[in-house]
Amino acid sequence: MASAEEGAGSSSASKAPSARGGEALVLFTTKLPDRYQVQDDSLVVPASLARYGLSEVVNRLLGLEKPAPFDFLIDGEFLRTDLFEYLDARKLSSEKVLKLEYVLALSEPEEEQVDEVPDWISSVAALGPAPCPWFVASSYDGGLRLYEAGATRLTMKLADVSLTAVAARAAPGTAGKASLLAAAGKDGIVRCFRAELDARVAIGPVATLRSKEHRQALEAIAINEDASLVAGGGWDNDVLVWNGGPTVFEEAEQEKAASSGGVKRKAVVGAEVEAPKFALQGHSQVVSSLHFGDKARYPFTLLSASWDCSVRVWDVAAASCVCNWTVARAVSSFSMSPGGPQMATSHEDGHVSLWDIRAPPHPTMQGAVTLDSSAGLPLTSAQSPHRRLASEVAWCPVDEQRLASVGHDGSLCILDPRSPKMPLQRVRLGKPGPVPTKLLCVTWLAREELAVGGSDGKVVRIMLNRSKGADDA
């Protein structure tokens, strides 16, 4: 293999590649630990090399005892063609030195079945900020189940109707030892409670939030950061917002909790709230997803998505719509980036789209933006990782370069904004064939760990990069 000085003098290096048998100049760089560093020299390699061939070259240069799979970034995007096609598409000469940053590729993930219930798993949610070993799953059998590190810690019959969505927040001031949960039901009722996450799980009274004017099934639920507000939406097309607080998320009576044994618990009836604080009207079809904006970045906002092909932003202080973004397709879910102002949406046709949020800085809160009528939502990229409906997309809360999506085609896809045309990894779960298991929900538990649920009633933990170790990635 020749260095750049040798390659620059050859006739093949001075011409644009006219055939896939030509050559290309590359410079390998990386931000990985020292044992993955190669010499900082340009090399001449066959232009026919793509990701796998380039990975073999890097492994040969490193001389590792056990070869490692690598992926390659060029100009901020993952290389998904061979070098010839990359040069040809951009009309570049082979004298152009291509700077290739290599990163460890995703290895085959590990799957662990956590539970199997008699009905569909409608929603999963982590019980605290990542990394968090605790998570919850709601089911169409009306049950709610809490898990810790792959073990079932609590099973409770929360309703006699199907539960369609669940949201959770770490209880403020508890250092992750308690969580506040809200579950949406097909009867239009939201059920809220507080869970003490200890050696023995303690559950507080279950409060019910309802509206006499809105009785159709709910499909989305959200809790704001300090749990002072709970929002729900569904087939009535309106977004309902109730007051939360200690009355709704009441602490458990420790004496009763300590004496209760086993993992099956019966819910204790708590407060009943008969009317929402306000109803937000504007969507013309079912509300499919809700998220309160982070106070540090999008203060006093609630975002909603709908099958009417729009995402709306509501000012919760004024109880009014301040943005109405059209996204061209019915939205099944959306998720906000933990980094810059970006949003991901999933759609009924299997698409996942990434959007930039263009908004002016907030006048009083540093680092925040003002979402108002002047804010825009330009499309960054769109791909079709699923052959059927994409049920949910979730941005990793601790890595802005990592997303996950699940769909009715039975696939879990790991996405990266730097790979705008195809997922980094696709994992088939459940029953294959012409009628596959529908994957309905996904949540991140850590940078390398997810929980997934679907129509087969199975709750599955997925561990990424476990064989290599997260520290290397």
Side-chain angles (χ1 to χ4, degrees):
M1 192 166 293
S3 66
E5 290 76 15
E6 294 170 318
S10 66
S11 60
S12 61
S14 61
K15 302 176 183 178
S18 58
R20 291 189 183 273
E23 296 175 333
L25 280 167
V26 299
L27 174 65
F28 292 115
T29 67
T30 190
K31 298 174 184 176
L32 293 172
D34 289 346
R35 66 191 182 99
Y36 292 117
Q37 300 281 342
V38 300
Q39 191 172 350
D40 190 17
D41 286 329
S42 299
L43 303 172
V44 174
V45 298
S48 59
L49 292 184
R51 169 189 162 187
Y52 296 107
L54 292 168
S55 185
E56 289 180 353
V57 171
V58 173
N59 273 285
R60 199 172 302 168
L61 293 172
L62 291 172
L64 295 176
E65 184 175 338
K66 182 180 179 182
F70 294 104
D71 218 335
F72 297 85
L73 288 159
I74 181 168
D75 294 331
E77 286 189 13
F78 280 101
L79 181 66
R80 289 296 178 257
T81 65
D82 59 31
L83 296 175
F84 172 87
E85 189 172 334
Y86 181 87
L87 290 168
D88 186 59
R90 291 157 181 79
K91 308 301 181 187
L92 297 176
S93 165
S94 56
E95 291 180 342
K96 168 73 174 178
V97 178
L98 300 178
K99 189 175 180 181
L100 299 176
E101 179 186 349
Y102 56 96
V103 297
L104 286 169
L106 290 175
S107 61
E108 190 71 21
E110 295 180 19
E111 302 173 23
E112 177 190 357
Q113 182 176 319
V114 178
D115 200 1
E116 184 171 0
V117 306
D119 215 328
W120 292 18
I121 302 297
S122 59
S123 183
V124 287
L127 296 188
C132 180
W134 290 85
F135 68 100
V136 60
S138 61
S139 173
Y140 282 8
D141 66 358
L144 208 64
R145 296 161 177 87
L146 270 60
Y147 306 97
E148 181 190 16
T152 303
R153 294 296 309 277
L154 175 80
T155 300
M156 62 186 298
K157 182 73 171 179
L158 198 62
D160 294 325
V161 298
S162 298
L163 298 179
T164 55
V166 65
R169 287 274 189 188
T174 62
K177 296 295 185 181
S179 185
L180 312 177
L181 296 94
K186 280 200 170 182
D187 55 2
I189 297 175
V190 176
R191 295 163 175 86
C192 304
F193 63 92
R194 175 180 172 124
E196 309 294 336
L197 309 177
D198 211 334
R200 188 179 294 271
V201 179
I203 298 298
V206 177
T208 55
L209 314 179
R210 66 182 79 215
S211 170
K212 293 179 181 179
E213 291 76 28
H214 301 80
R215 297 179 180 274
Q216 293 195 48
L218 296 171
E219 293 291 336
I221 192 73
I223 307 170
N224 72 341
E225 283 186 54
D226 62 3
S228 62
L229 297 174
V230 178
W235 289 93
D236 280 303
N237 304 343
D238 295 344
V239 177
L240 309 177
V241 180
W242 292 269
N243 285 318
T247 303
V248 171
F249 298 104
E250 190 177 346
E251 292 189 34
E253 296 182 33
Q254 293 298 325
E255 296 81 4
K256 292 183 180 180
S259 62
S260 60
V263 296
K264 291 187 177 181
R265 306 284 169 85
K266 184 177 180 180
V268 177
V269 177
E272 296 186 7
V273 181
E274 295 294 335
K277 183 177 182 179
F278 49 79
L280 302 171
Q281 298 178 336
H283 286 297
S284 60
Q285 294 191 42
V286 58
V287 176
S288 55
S289 188
L290 291 168
H291 292 284
F292 281 96
D294 292 340
K295 190 174 182 180
R297 298 193 298 159
Y298 314 107
F300 312 112
T301 59
L302 170 65
L303 292 89
S304 62
S306 168
W307 287 83
D308 65 7
C309 305
S310 75
V311 175
R312 287 179 176 255
V313 183
W314 310 88
D315 183 330
V316 294
S320 63
C321 181
V322 292
C323 290
N324 182 14
W325 292 319
T326 301
V327 295
R329 297 179 174 92
V331 185
S332 57
S333 77
F334 71 96
S335 183
M336 308 298 285
S337 168
Q342 288 184 298
M343 175 191 298
T345 54
S346 60
H347 302 276
E348 91 291 348
D349 60 356
H351 269 79
V352 172
S353 301
L354 302 187
W355 311 82
D356 278 339
I357 299 174
R358 302 283 175 83
H362 196 277
T364 59
M365 299 184 66
Q366 187 175 2
V369 296
T370 300
L371 297 181
D372 56 22
S373 58
S374 67
L377 193 72
L379 179 67
T380 302
S381 65
Q383 58 177 280
S384 298
H386 302 282
R387 296 182 178 180
R388 302 184 182 185
L389 182 145
S391 310
E392 186 171 13
V393 62
W395 219 306
C396 179
V398 292
D399 188 347
E400 62 181 311
Q401 305 290 11
R402 187 167 285 190
L403 302 90
S405 66
V406 291
H408 284 195
D409 60 353
S411 295
L412 162 69
C413 293
I414 305 301
L415 311 173
D416 191 306
R418 299 167 298 180
S419 181
K421 295 181 181 179
M422 64 180 68
L424 291 187
Q425 192 171 57
R426 180 180 283 108
V427 183
R428 291 298 301 269
L429 299 173
K431 181 183 69 175
V435 186
T437 297
K438 295 180 176 72
L439 298 185
L440 305 177
C441 49
V442 61
T443 191
W444 290 92
L445 306 178
R447 184 179 181 273
E448 311 293 346
E449 185 176 345
L450 307 100
V452 177
S455 61
D456 57 1
K458 294 179 181 179
V459 179
V460 180
R461 285 171 72 213
I462 304 294
M463 282 71 74
L464 306 176
N465 287 341
R466 181 61 60 87
S467 61
K468 294 181 303 202
D471 292 342
D472 290 344

